[in-house]
């Protein structure tokens, strides 16, 4: 009998067909209130699940007694409880590597957009307000030659640092669980304490995964240590930041601006004070969202899933 797979976020056609050739597949384009009951029903018989952007609670997984592997189309695994996977001996696969460069591009676009006020000024032009040469009130700040502080220096941090060093002549400071000798050698990156990084950086870029240890780790104290001219960038996970403290820091000009791709609650509620601030560039969690990269992520997630179900070595296991 074929093993059963539940797809909970639409995959490209050829990948769906590849799964259907080998498994009994139940498809959900995405899970919402309208189909949640059917999804939970399908979980009851699933050997493998694949998808993204759905918090997968332990209670939901308790309802999947035959499950062997969950394959997420993301590098982040914060939608799952890793301890639960370990305890149950379940595999959790993810998609590192293939999204590194696209995500670093997004982060750099946030750096440039918030420093040069690209979104605000583009809206100014579209609204028909460009009546004469712009004045000081609309100037931005330089990016080239400034100091970039990376909190977390994994693959994506390294790719951001490369852009900053080679493309923009920036000085790189970083803080990480362990030193990164390659970044030090090749990019002149300097390992400093978190507080020193906050005090010296013109751009503070949060590059950490969301875990119980990092949740809400960045708050009023951290914003208070930053330069008043500094720009805060976050494309990792919103829940690492105390968003109330971030809003206060932006409103009272404790920091100059923020470029954000992620938020405590996503989609960002329309009444969020962040949307009223001209010194905020807000994106809808597009870190890896290019056609090429999302395709590569889906392909890798399918490879991971199939390997797990065939009892072969899974290329990228997070648990
Ligand atoms: C990831 O891959 O973790 C991205 O943030 C998309 O969720």
């Amino acid at each position: 009998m074929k093993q059963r797979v539940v797809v909970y976020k639409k995959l490209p056609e050829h990948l769906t067909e590849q799964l259907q050739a080998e498994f009994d597949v139940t498809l959900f384009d995405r899970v919402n209130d309208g189909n949640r009951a059917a999804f939970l029903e399908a979980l009851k018989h699933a050997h493998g699940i694949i998808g993204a952007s759905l918090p997968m609670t332990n209670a939901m997984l308790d309802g999947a007694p035959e499950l062997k592997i969950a394959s997420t189309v993301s590098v982040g695994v914060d939608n799952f409880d890793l301890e639960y996977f370990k305890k149950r001996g379940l595999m959790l696969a993810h998609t590192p590597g293939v999204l590194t460069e696209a995500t670093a591009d997004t982060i750099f676009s946030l750096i440039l957009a918030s420093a040069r006020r690209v979104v605000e000024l583009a809206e100014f032009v579209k609204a028909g307000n460009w009546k004469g040469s712009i004045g000081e009130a609309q100037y931005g700040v330089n990016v080239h030659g400034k100091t970039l502080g990376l909190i977390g220096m994994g693959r994506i941090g390294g790719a951001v640092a490369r852009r900053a060093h080679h493309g923009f002549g920036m000085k790189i400071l970083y803080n990480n669980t362990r030193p990164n000798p390659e970044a030090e050698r090749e990019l002149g990156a300097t390992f400093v304490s978190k507080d020193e990084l906050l005090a010296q950086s013109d751009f503070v870029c949060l590059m950490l995964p969301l875990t119980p240890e990092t949740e809400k780790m960045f708050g009023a104290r951290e914003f208070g240590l930053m330069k008043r001219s500094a720009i805060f960038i976050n494309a990792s996970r919103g829940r690492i930041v105390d968003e109330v403290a971030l809003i206060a820091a932006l409103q009272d000009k404790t920091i100059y601006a923020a470029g954000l791709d992620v938020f405590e609650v996503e989609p960002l509620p329309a009444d969020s004070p962040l949307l009223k601030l001209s010194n905020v560039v807000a994106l809808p969690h597009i870190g890896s969202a290019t056609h090429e990269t999302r395709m590569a992520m889906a392909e890798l997630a399918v490879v991971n899933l199939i390997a797990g179900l065939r009892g072969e070595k899974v290329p990228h296991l997070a648990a």
Side-chain angles (χ1 to χ4, degrees):
M1 207 179 74
K2 283 182 174 178
Q3 297 191 84
R4 285 176 292 273
V5 165
V6 175
V7 178
Y8 60 92
K9 186 163 180 192
K10 195 171 167 45
L11 291 171
E13 204 65 31
H14 73 285
L15 296 177
T16 305
E17 284 167 12
Q18 188 184 347
L19 291 176
Q20 283 167 331
E22 188 166 342
F23 307 104
D24 182 350
V25 181
T26 307
L27 295 173
F28 295 89
D29 280 0
R30 61 182 60 228
V31 176
N32 51 37
D33 289 345
N35 62 11
R36 191 170 296 271
F39 172 68
L40 295 178
E41 184 58 34
L43 278 187
K44 283 185 187 163
H45 312 286
H47 298 101
I49 58 175
I50 181 167
S53 314
L54 180 68
M56 200 64 75
T57 64
N58 296 348
M60 285 157 86
L61 294 170
D62 279 344
E66 296 179 63
L67 195 67
K68 296 179 187 166
I69 180 166
S71 180
T72 178
V73 191
S74 65
V75 67
V77 289
D78 43 289
N79 277 330
F80 303 85
D81 174 352
L82 268 61
E83 285 308 311
Y84 176 95
F85 274 70
K86 280 184 201 143
K87 266 193 217 133
R88 246 187 86 177
L90 293 178
M91 291 179 279
L92 175 61
H94 66 148
T95 62
V98 291
L99 47 62
T100 300
E101 300 300 330
T103 307
D105 286 347
T106 298
I107 292 168
F108 229 88
S109 74
L110 283 172
I111 291 174
L112 290 168
S114 44
R116 302 301 306 270
R117 301 168 61 178
V118 170
V119 177
E120 177 194 349
L121 295 178
E123 279 167 1
F124 169 84
V125 174
K126 275 196 178 163
N129 291 328
W130 187 23
K131 301 280 190 319
S133 147
I134 63 146
E136 236 180 274
Q138 287 155 318
Y139 292 173
V141 294
N142 281 347
V143 174
H144 64 272
K146 293 284 182 71
T147 298
L148 172 66
L150 296 163
I151 300 184
M153 181 62 117
R155 285 191 196 84
I156 301 173
V160 172
R162 256 192 292 114
R163 285 158 174 73
H165 175 75
H166 293 302
F168 293 81
M170 296 175 88
K171 177 175 169 192
I172 315 290
L173 303 179
Y174 77 103
N175 181 260
N176 200 26
T177 43
R178 63 184 96 84
N180 183 328
E182 196 185 319
E184 296 189 9
R185 204 174 46 246
E186 286 171 20
L187 308 172
T190 308
F191 188 103
V192 291
S193 70
K194 196 175 95 183
D195 286 5
E196 197 177 335
L197 181 150
L198 294 171
Q200 290 188 20
S201 299
D202 300 303
F203 297 87
V204 171
C205 192
L206 203 51
M207 306 291 317
L208 299 171
L210 174 63
T211 66
E213 291 72 41
T214 62
E215 182 150 20
K216 285 234 162 74
M217 65 151 287
F218 207 100
R221 178 183 173 278
E222 284 70 27
F223 291 118
L225 287 173
M226 287 169 62
K227 296 182 187 178
R228 288 188 96 79
S229 57
I231 295 180
F232 177 69
I233 304 291
N234 188 11
S236 53
R237 286 296 183 268
R239 279 165 49 205
I240 301 172
V241 178
D242 176 348
E243 206 165 90
V244 172
L246 170 61
I247 292 165
L250 288 161
Q251 282 171 336
D252 65 20
K253 302 275 178 351
T254 299
I255 63 171
Y256 178 72
L260 307 168
D261 188 39
V262 291
F263 304 89
E264 196 170 314
V265 175
E266 294 178 10
L268 182 62
D271 62 354
S272 167
L274 287 170
L275 296 176
K276 297 208 165 52
L277 295 169
S278 60
N279 54 348
V280 169
V281 174
L283 297 177
H285 199 147
I286 62 162
S288 60
T290 65
H291 290 292
E292 302 92 326
T293 298
R294 284 290 165 89
M295 180 64 80
M297 290 165 71
E299 282 169 351
L300 184 51
V302 166
V303 167
N304 285 332
L305 179 75
I306 292 177
L309 291 176
R310 287 183 183 163
E312 296 166 358
K313 184 173 161 30
V314 178
H316 295 287
L317 279 181

